[in-house]
Structure formats: C-alpha cells, structure tokens
Amino acid sequence: MELEKRVDEHDKMLKAHTDEISDIKSEIKTMNKSISESLLRVDESNRFLREQNTRQSEQNTQILSAVLQRNDQSEQRQHELSKIKLNSAFKIGFAIFGSGGLVYVVIDIITKALLK
C-alpha cells in the first residue's frame, strides 16, 4: 500500500509539474506574441523615422544649395558694384580733368586776347 501511495503522490506531483510547464509554455507564448507585436511597432516607428530623416536631409540639402547660390550671386553683385564704382571714378576724373583743360584753354584765349 505504501508503494501505491507513493506512486499516487508521484503521479500527482508529475501532473502538477505538467500543469506548471503547460502554464509556463502558455506564458512564454503570450510573451513571444507581445514581443513580436512590440518589435513590429518598433520597426514601423524606425521606418517612419528613417523616412523623416531622409526628407529632412533632402530639405537641408536644398537649403544649403539655396544659401550657396545666394552667396555666389551676392559675390557677383559685389564684383559688379566695384566695377561700377571704379568706372564712375574714372568718368568723374576724366570729367574734372577734361573740363579743367577746357577751362585752361578758354582762360588762355581770353588772356591772350586781352594782352594783345
């Protein structure tokens, strides 16, 4: 009888262990499912962030290109302004010295006419 009792107790313990293992397997499946769903959300979020980073990088490239183009245009304008300033200075100089020569000739004619 004692052997049967021990066998019954052993059977009960085996059944309890089997039930516990079954519960643990169920919990593991639930955890795996939850982890898989979380990983899918993370992957989707990462995909969105990569697309957003790509768009932002393209926008940054466009902004940089516009700024560089504007700087080039600014340099061209500065060069043209300096050419115009130099040209104007020469025109003013020629006008001053040219008119000075004309005034000298007029004064020379007048003084020669008076001295005769």
Side-chain angles (χ1 to χ4, degrees), residues 70-83:
R70 203 161 208 197
N71 286 348
D72 287 344
Q73 290 173 350
S74 175
E75 288 175 4
Q76 289 174 352
R77 275 185 294 228
Q78 290 296 335
H79 179 68
E80 288 176 16
L81 285 175
S82 66
K83 284 181 7 185

Side-chain angles (χ1 to χ4, degrees), residues 43-86:
D43 285 343
E44 186 176 325
S45 177
N46 284 344
R47 188 177 318 114
F48 172 76
L49 290 174
R50 278 193 303 270
E51 290 172 2
Q52 190 176 21
N53 285 344
T54 301
R55 285 191 304 269
Q56 190 173 19
S57 176
E58 289 170 356
Q59 288 175 345
N60 287 345
T61 301
Q62 290 172 352
I63 290 170
L64 179 63
S65 176
V67 167
L68 291 176
Q69 184 179 9
R70 203 161 208 197
N71 286 348
D72 287 344
Q73 290 173 350
S74 175
E75 288 175 4
Q76 289 174 352
R77 275 185 294 228
Q78 290 296 335
H79 179 68
E80 288 176 16
L81 285 175
S82 66
K83 284 181 7 185
I84 290 171
K85 285 180 186 178
L86 185 62

Side-chain angles (χ1 to χ4, degrees), residues 4-15:
E4 282 182 30
K5 212 178 197 186
R6 289 188 85 196
V7 169
D8 284 342
E9 285 179 18
H10 189 66
D11 280 343
K12 286 179 185 177
M13 286 189 345
L14 281 176
K15 183 164 176 26

Side-chain angles (χ1 to χ4, degrees), residues 22-39:
S22 178
D23 290 343
I24 290 172
K25 283 183 179 179
S26 176
E27 288 178 20
I28 289 174
K29 284 182 183 179
T30 304
M31 287 172 47
N32 278 339
K33 184 178 178 183
S34 175
I35 289 172
S36 293
E37 289 172 355
S38 295
L39 287 176

